[in-house]
Amino acid sequence: MGGDSAGVSGLDITVRADTKVFRNGPFLIGFTSSFRMGQLLAYKLRVPEMEQHGDVFRFMVTSFVDAVRDCLKEGGYAQRSNDAESGGSFLVAFRGRLFSIQSDYQVCEALRGYHAIGCGADYALGSLASTAGEDGEGRVRRALEIAELFSGGVRAPFRIECLENADAEQHRPLMTVAA
């Protein structure tokens, strides 16, 4: 999973020292939306353990999302408008699978094996689609470089982390970009 270092507010951009990609227990997380949300996910989020042979998607939709909602509410980040609660967007790699958590807390698992979020997502997805069959880390780095080339909100340095798939239910390639 790879992330850039841009913090964007309107037309202002700050290259940040804190990272958009990090580990929290067995989860590899990459975020967009807000650095405050990312900080809460990195330092405050506590997710109950999943049963060894449980349904991973069900766990993500229930236990994981419930823990995220509680974390964001307690941290003062979750928003409430017209009786609808919202958070932010982020990617989660867990047990060899890749999930996208949307601002309405829906959980998406794309069949293509890679995903991208943030203002450079469309460029990164195009790059990832065009580099199928190549080395995973190289694909992620190239996707970030292409996103930086075309998006004013993406900046190096890039951070790339890998999830160990030793306990993976399925060994599928995880190609992710948070820009």
Side-chain angles (χ1 to χ4, degrees), residues 3-9 11-20 35 148 152-159:
D4 75 314
S5 298
V8 180
S9 177
L11 293 176
D12 297 328
I13 190 165
T14 301
V15 177
R16 297 188 54 137
D18 46 340
T19 180
K20 293 180 184 179
F35 276 86
E148 181 183 39
V154 179
R155 291 290 183 279
F158 306 126
R159 180 181 176 117

Side-chain angles (χ1 to χ4, degrees), residues 1-2 128 136-144 160 175-177:
M1 183 179 296
L128 290 166
E137 185 174 333
R139 288 180 73 193
V140 171
R141 182 167 308 286
R142 186 68 180 144
L144 287 163
I160 299 175
M175 299 296 127
T176 64
V177 178

Side-chain angles (χ1 to χ4, degrees), residues 130-177:
S130 72
T131 56
E134 295 179 18
D135 166 66
E137 185 174 333
R139 288 180 73 193
V140 171
R141 182 167 308 286
R142 186 68 180 144
L144 287 163
E145 291 168 349
I146 295 299
E148 181 183 39
L149 181 65
F150 291 103
S151 174
V154 179
R155 291 290 183 279
F158 306 126
R159 180 181 176 117
I160 299 175
E161 293 281 338
C162 297
L163 178 68
E164 295 300 323
N165 288 332
D167 66 340
E169 193 174 272
Q170 300 175 26
H171 292 283
R172 292 192 288 184
L174 295 177
M175 299 296 127
T176 64
V177 178

